[in-house]
Amino acid sequence: MQTENITERIVSILYPRRCPVCDDIVKHNEGLIHAECKRVIKPAGRVICMKCGKPLTDPDEEYCHDCASMRHYFDRGVGVFRYRSVSGSVYRFKYSGRKEYADFYADAAKRYLGSVIKDFNAEVIIPVPMYANKQKKRGYNQAEIFAKALGKSMNIPVRNDVVIRVRDTVPMKMLDSSERRSNLKKAFNIRENDVKFKCIILIDDIYTTGSTMDELAREFRRHGVERIFFVTLAIGQVV
Ligand SMILES: [Zn+2]
Ligand SMILES: [Zn+2]
């Protein structure tokens, strides 16, 4: 424990941790986020769609508009934060190498959604894979970084070798929702046929239309996975 603390101190001096909200340095004794920055980031809350976890405006509704009108391949999912309150943070996590934010994200996921995630009773956590060339350019897959931090805090194994992305996709913001669906066709290949999970949690950074999650969930269903859940960092409208 002592050694670990010393190593942590040295790392924190060499690579000071950044605040997931304001991106300034967080001192060792300040934890993972500045106290005053905590209130900026908003959890998805309790009034959410029972299928996809999107925040709802009407507490009497059970499902969001999307989930009331269409079928999903996943059983249920939840998001940790409201997208708008965390969009800048997620952007830096994704594109600016702020991998350390994952510790704060996983902490928050456990605090807000720990019992829900535990009730999923999943055998494994699987991050949504990134197309190999894209990941090479970026250096890491942010969904995998979050998955690993969450797996550690929830004590659930993480597997990143089960599925690969076989096709890159056009940036989703360029497309309407039907184009989004066809854009994702055959994007994923389940790699290990001998892996026989029955209950899994998929992890991604953002949930908006759910097209990525549905496509991946569909592939896992075809391979015999019976219960499919997801957890994303941010959820809600991107616009
Ligand atoms: Zn801050
Ligand atoms: Zn929904």
Side-chain angles (χ1 to χ4, degrees):
M1 199 61 201
Q2 194 65 25
T3 329
E4 197 180 312
N5 284 343
I6 292 165
T7 314
E8 273 178 22
R9 278 308 283 274
I10 293 168
V11 169
S12 76
I13 291 162
L14 292 175
Y15 305 99
R17 176 179 282 282
R18 300 268 170 177
C19 170
V21 171
C22 70
D23 204 40
D24 283 342
I25 288 170
V26 188
K27 293 196 195 87
H28 191 70
N29 59 5
E30 286 178 306
L32 304 175
I33 182 173
H34 297 124
E36 70 272 19
C37 289
K38 273 182 195 157
R39 66 187 70 124
V40 177
I41 292 190
K42 305 257 185 303
R46 296 191 183 279
V47 183
I48 54 170
C49 171
M50 287 312 289
K51 191 76 183 174
C52 76
K54 236 182 259 172
L56 298 174
T57 43
D58 182 354
D60 292 331
E61 275 177 4
E62 201 176 352
Y63 298 109
C64 72
H65 179 74
D66 285 353
C67 295
S69 58
M70 66 169 285
R71 185 186 156 219
H72 287 297
Y73 288 94
F74 52 80
D75 289 275
R76 199 194 156 188
V78 283
V80 186
F81 303 110
R82 286 171 182 256
Y83 179 76
R84 280 178 217 202
S85 76
V86 80
S87 58
S89 180
V90 173
Y91 187 90
R92 293 191 302 274
F93 178 57
K94 208 165 164 172
Y95 299 108
S96 307
R98 293 288 187 252
K99 291 188 258 185
E100 72 260 41
Y101 291 1
D103 295 330
F104 166 74
Y105 297 154
D107 247 34
K110 191 177 180 182
R111 194 171 343 122
Y112 301 132
L113 301 168
S115 61
V116 178
I117 295 171
K118 215 172 151 207
D119 285 348
F120 289 161
N121 219 355
E123 302 147 84
V124 70
I125 283 176
I126 298 171
V128 173
M130 195 184 266
Y131 188 59
N133 280 352
K134 203 170 175 180
Q135 186 166 342
K136 211 170 167 188
K137 263 188 219 156
R138 194 175 294 173
Y140 61 97
N141 172 4
Q142 71 281 351
E144 187 181 322
I145 304 290
F146 174 48
K148 282 180 177 164
L150 186 64
K152 198 175 160 193
S153 76
M154 294 297 304
N155 206 16
I156 304 171
V158 179
R159 290 285 298 268
N160 63 358
D161 58 346
V162 178
V163 57
I164 55 166
R165 198 161 194 147
V166 288
R167 199 163 77 80
D168 200 9
T169 44
V170 182
M172 289 296 186
K173 57 190 168 197
M174 317 276 291
L175 307 170
D176 68 27
S177 87
S178 72
E179 285 171 329
R180 283 178 185 212
R181 282 175 194 285
S182 59
N183 188 37
L184 274 160
K185 279 207 180 96
K186 294 186 186 73
F188 301 107
N189 257 1
I190 311 281
R191 199 152 67 164
E192 292 197 16
N193 283 329
D194 53 345
V195 176
K196 292 288 174 219
F197 298 120
K198 290 291 168 218
C199 182
I200 64 175
I201 299 175
L202 302 173
I203 302 284
D204 208 355
D205 51 354
I206 301 164
Y207 181 98
T208 50
T209 63
S211 47
T212 308
M213 209 55 87
D214 260 330
E215 185 57 28
L216 186 52
R218 192 180 66 165
E219 277 305 303
F220 276 113
R221 284 239 183 265
R222 283 178 13 154
H223 282 76
V225 180
E226 286 164 8
R227 308 263 295 149
I228 301 171
F229 301 99
F230 75 76
V231 176
T232 64
L233 197 46
I235 195 151
Q237 294 305 117
V238 171
V239 284

